């Protein structure tokens, strides 16, 4: 059984009501999860109410419209969760033995933040909050002391709401284009003898890790951060995709990690792509680990990203029953043959009365369905114009 049994919810791309989040918390607590990772900031919105920086609540929280591929909505979207609402979630989780892990994604996925504070970017020019999915080149300028001061100040505000041991500081998908062209970033790299952008990113992440450690909090970072060899060993790497070697090296050298390989643990994909049988087949390990390295995997996390998820029923059907398979693996209760597991799922479903489940006929698929699933995914979510725009 893993000590860390996590569930991540993206409340940025689409939000959920406090009632819906509580309903999900009830369900995951029954399944044995003990960590709720709450993704609260991203390119398409900022969801944490700030007293110190109210412009986050107005500018950074609201995008002018939503254009996630084929699902377009012309209305302005988004607000922050109030401090009272977030405290309510923290208390609700605590009563059920679940710690809340807030995430401030940095230094990439920061367009919403930069739309309110353009001075934290390399160019200082206006940045637009994003209305569609993707990886964007608007990132924090890591050489400006103002960036460190702002981030630590907002972290202090988060710490007033979230008392848990862990804090997620992102670290994924941060393009280096602006850093390459920024005199401040270039000077900083030269002065500190930093040769790669992965290490440059970590020079900043390490300062944040150090800051949070001084407050007795441990930082979780997405696995891109492990690419820079200088990542502070006190961080916990969340492995989600690409070459596992940097994460394996980090583990073998004494760092810790949690696993969320996306093709098993990301619950926003269609059942054709990631059927229940595939999730249940996950081996929570990475190749190349020493005996010591194996012990450093402390957990497993199922995630749900909400670019395409606008309704509670749709969200629940994507999660259930697949999140049950994640819980069984995290608990080390995945030794039963798949058909016996499915029988258990039917029983658990009865206890999760009120939760919408995916229709049983879609739970189990042959491997080949993944190919069809990906084609359908592209067809459902992307217009020809959008694909052309991305490719050319
Ligand atoms: C991620 O899915 N970008 C961590
Ligand atoms: Zn810069």
């Amino acid at each position: 059984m893993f000590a860390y049994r996590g569930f991540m919810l993206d409340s940025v791309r689409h939000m959920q009501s406090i009632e819906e989040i509580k309903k999900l918390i009830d369900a995951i607590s029954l399944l044995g999860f003990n960590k709720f990772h709450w993704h609260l900031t991203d390119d398409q919105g900022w969801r944490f109410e700030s007293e110190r920086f109210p412009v986050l609540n107005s500018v950074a929280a609201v995008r002018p419209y939503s254009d996630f591929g084929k699902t377009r909505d012309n209305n302005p979207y988004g607000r922050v969760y109030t401090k009272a609402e977030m405290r309510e979630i923290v208390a609700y989780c605590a009563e059920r033995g679940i710690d809340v892990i807030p995430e401030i994604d940095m230094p990439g996925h920061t367009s919403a933040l930069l739309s309110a504070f353009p001075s934290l970017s390399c160019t200082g020019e206006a940045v637009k909050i994003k209305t569609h999915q993707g990886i964007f080149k608007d990132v924090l300028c890591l050489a400006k002391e103002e960036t460190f001061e702002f981030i630590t100040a907002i972290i202090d505000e988060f710490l007033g709401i979230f008392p848990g041991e862990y804090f997620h500081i992102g670290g994924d998908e941060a393009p280096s284009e602006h850093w390459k062209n920024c005199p401040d970033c270039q000077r900083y790299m030269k002065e500190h003898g930093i040769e790669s952008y992965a290490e440059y990113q970590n020079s900043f992440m390490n300062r944040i890790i150090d800051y949070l450690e001084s407050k007795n909090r441990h930082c979780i970072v997405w696995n891109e951060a492990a690419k820079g060899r200088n990542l502070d060993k006190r961080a916990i790497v969340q492995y989600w995709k690409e070459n596992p070697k940097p994460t394996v090296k980090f583990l073998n050298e004494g760092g810790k990690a949690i696993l969320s390989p996306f093709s098993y643990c990301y619950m926003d994909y269609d059942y054709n792509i990631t059927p229940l049988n595939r999730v249940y087949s996950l081996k929570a390990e990475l190749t190349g680990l020493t005996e010591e390295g194996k012990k450093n995997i402390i957990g497993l996390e199922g995630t749900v990203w909400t670019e395409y998820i606008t309704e509670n029923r749709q969200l629940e059907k994507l999660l259930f029953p697949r999140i049950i398979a994640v819980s069984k693996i995290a608990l080390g209760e995945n030794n039963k043959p798949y058909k016996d597991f499915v029988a258990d799922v039917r029983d658990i479903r009865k206890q999760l009365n009120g939760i919408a489940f995916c229709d049983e006929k879609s739970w189990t698929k042959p491997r080949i369905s993944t190919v069809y699933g990906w084609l359908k995914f592209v067809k459902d979510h992307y217009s020809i114009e959008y694909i052309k725009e991305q490719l050319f």
Side-chain angles (χ1 to χ4, degrees), residues 13 103 105 109 172-173 222 224 240 262 266 303 305:
R13 278 55 175 263
E103 179 178 354
D105 204 343
H109 288 287
D172 58 324
E173 300 177 323
W222 296 109
E224 283 89 331
W240 70 285
F262 84 98
Y266 277 31
T303 73
W305 302 92

Side-chain angles (χ1 to χ4, degrees), residues 71 89 140 167 203 248 257 279 285 343:
T71 45
I89 291 298
L140 298 174
F167 201 111
S203 68
V248 168
V279 182
E285 56 197 31

Side-chain angles (χ1 to χ4, degrees), residues 259-275:
L259 304 181
S260 304
F262 84 98
S263 67
Y264 296 87
C265 291
Y266 277 31
M267 312 266 111
D268 39 303
Y269 290 105
D270 192 85
Y271 279 76
N272 282 313
I273 297 175
T274 313

Side-chain angles (χ1 to χ4, degrees), residues 2-175:
F2 285 116
Y4 181 118
R5 302 181 297 280
F7 164 63
M8 189 215 84
L9 178 66
D10 169 8
S11 291
V12 173
R13 278 55 175 263
H14 289 100
M15 299 181 69
Q16 303 78 29
S17 67
I18 295 302
E19 283 321 302
E20 178 62 14
I21 296 173
K22 285 184 177 175
K23 187 178 174 194
L24 295 176
I25 295 297
D26 278 337
I28 64 154
S29 120
L30 189 131
L31 296 176
F33 286 96
N34 63 359
K35 305 281 182 257
F36 172 48
H37 168 185
W38 203 2
H39 188 77
L40 287 170
T41 75
D42 215 303
D43 295 300
Q44 299 82 1
W46 177 276
R47 302 280 168 251
F48 176 92
E49 181 184 37
S50 173
E51 273 155 40
R52 181 135 180 221
F53 307 106
V55 68
L56 290 170
N57 313 335
S58 49
V59 174
V62 190
R63 59 178 181 257
Y65 57 91
S66 303
D67 190 11
F68 294 105
K70 279 194 179 174
T71 45
R72 177 161 178 126
D73 183 331
N74 288 327
N75 298 305
Y77 183 93
R79 66 173 182 88
V80 287
Y81 290 107
T82 65
K83 292 206 158 156
E85 286 175 326
M86 293 185 284
R87 281 203 181 97
E88 200 178 323
I89 291 298
V90 169
Y92 199 80
C93 284
E95 283 162 20
R96 288 155 185 78
I98 295 175
D99 301 325
V100 183
I101 302 168
E103 179 178 354
I104 306 179
D105 204 343
M106 67 183 91
H109 288 287
T110 42
S111 307
L113 167 58
L114 292 171
S115 74
F117 289 95
S119 64
L120 303 180
S121 75
C122 287
T123 63
E125 285 164 13
V127 169
K128 283 204 168 91
I129 188 170
K130 300 301 184 278
T131 54
H132 56 284
Q133 71 277 48
I135 300 173
F136 302 98
K137 62 180 193 302
D138 298 307
V139 299
L140 298 174
C141 179
L142 306 181
K144 292 180 181 169
E145 204 49 24
E146 185 190 349
T147 304
F148 180 75
E149 279 160 17
F150 173 84
I151 292 291
T152 48
I154 196 70
I155 283 175
D156 285 346
E157 241 189 300
F158 270 70
L159 295 181
I161 302 293
F162 299 105
E165 171 186 2
Y166 297 107
F167 201 111
H168 205 304
I169 56 170
D172 58 324
E173 300 177 323

